[in-house]
């Protein structure tokens, strides 16, 4: 769902979050996702392993998509990144 929400706005996102602003969007996404997850599972708030894995998967997934979006099929990227995003704590 998250990837699909980016596609219609890709040109605008490239303009708003280019150069020095490139890390603003994935960081904001991570913070929003993290807070939502902590509302659903507050016991994870102090879990160091969860914290590191969550950052890695959100930031890594975002940058993997960004890097490969013009080279590979959208559905394939979403499938690969989505499969890597399954959580194991």
């Amino acid at each position: 769902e998250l990837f699909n929400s980016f596609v219609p706005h890709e040109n605008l996102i490239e303009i708003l979050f280019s150069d020095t602003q490139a890390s603003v969007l994935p960081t904001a996404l991570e913070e929003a996702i993290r807070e939502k997850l902590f509302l659903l599972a507050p016991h994870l708030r102090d879990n160091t392993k969860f914290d590191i894995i969550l950052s890695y998967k959100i930031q890594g997934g975002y940058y993997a998509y960004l890097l490969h979006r013009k080279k590979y099929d959208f559905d394939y990227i979403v499938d690969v990144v989505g499969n890597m995003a399954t959580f194991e704590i």
Side-chain angles (χ1 to χ4, degrees), residues 16-74:
L16 292 172
F17 300 102
S18 63
D19 300 325
T20 60
Q21 297 299 307
S23 68
V24 172
L25 182 57
T27 300
L29 286 171
E30 180 180 349
E31 289 174 13
I33 291 169
R34 182 180 305 281
E35 285 309 309
K36 181 67 172 176
L37 286 171
F38 290 155
L39 287 174
L40 298 171
H43 65 282
L44 294 174
R45 188 174 294 276
D46 296 321
N47 185 319
T48 305
K49 184 177 180 180
F50 176 82
D51 193 39
I52 293 167
I53 291 171
L54 184 64
S55 293
Y56 175 78
K57 291 188 177 199
I58 293 171
Q59 299 278 343
Y62 175 82
Y63 285 108
Y65 166 74
L66 200 63
L67 180 64
H68 298 291
R69 73 183 191 274
K70 293 182 180 177
K71 293 192 287 185
Y72 304 113
D73 176 68
F74 173 80

